[in-house]
């Protein structure tokens, strides 16, 4: 079992920045791909970005490309989401997710509890 705990959410004005962190604990974490998703009020959860274990492959949703950056520190079992040039439409609960090496790409086996990001205009 893997436990994921997000932190770093908060309230900012449009144009501001936030850095989210997701700390993983539990069973051996080696090989896990990590992703960030978000869910705005009244909307379905949507993909934001993901990163492979090595960091060699990263994907971004078009809506955040050029503004958000995902990174990871495997020694610390932590993945980060640097969010710059935030817009009101980025307001959502942000979730961290982990995929074990044996699972199908695009699926995620573990989820965090989420952290709220609110961007005011």
């Amino acid at each position: 079992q893997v436990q994921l705990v997000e932190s770093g959410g908060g309230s900012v004005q449009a144009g501001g920045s936030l850095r989210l962190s997701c700390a993983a604990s539990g069973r051996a974490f080696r090989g896990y791909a990590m992703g960030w998703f978000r869910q705005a009020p009244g909307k379905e959860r949507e993909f934001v970005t993901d990163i492979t274990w090595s960091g060699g492959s990263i994907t971004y949703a078009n809506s955040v490309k050029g503004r958000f950056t995902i990174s990871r520190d495997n020694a610390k079992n932590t993945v980060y989401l640097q969010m710059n040039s935030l817009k009101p439409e980025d307001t959502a609960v942000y979730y961290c997710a982990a995929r074990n090496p044996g699972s199908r790409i695009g699926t995620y086996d573990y989820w965090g509890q989420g952290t709220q990001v609110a961007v005011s205009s």
Side-chain angles (χ1 to χ4, degrees):
Q1 189 75 9
V2 172
Q3 291 80 43
L4 304 174
V5 179
E6 302 97 334
S7 61
S11 298
V12 295
Q13 290 190 329
S17 298
L18 282 174
R19 189 193 195 203
L20 305 184
S21 298
C22 173
S25 62
R27 61 177 295 174
F29 192 60
R30 184 172 182 79
Y32 280 68
M34 300 295 295
W36 286 97
F37 291 75
R38 66 186 182 186
Q39 187 167 19
K43 295 186 177 181
E44 294 188 353
R45 185 170 59 194
E46 65 174 359
F47 170 82
V48 175
T49 179
D50 65 7
I51 184 170
T52 55
W53 166 258
S54 67
S57 178
I58 293 174
T59 305
Y60 293 101
N62 288 335
S63 58
V64 306
K65 203 171 292 184
R67 299 187 299 120
F68 290 11
T69 303
I70 190 172
S71 61
R72 65 188 300 164
D73 184 340
N74 292 333
K76 296 181 179 180
N77 286 351
T78 301
V79 64
Y80 305 97
L81 182 63
Q82 178 67 42
M83 306 186 295
N84 298 329
S85 302
L86 282 161
K87 304 175 181 180
E89 51 263 44
D90 294 318
T91 295
V93 177
Y94 283 71
Y95 298 91
C96 172
R99 179 174 70 247
N100 73 48
S103 293
R104 182 167 54 91
I105 292 175
T107 64
Y108 289 86
D109 302 290
Y110 305 100
W111 294 84
Q113 83 289 347
T115 185
Q116 177 72 53
V117 171
V119 185
S120 59
S121 57

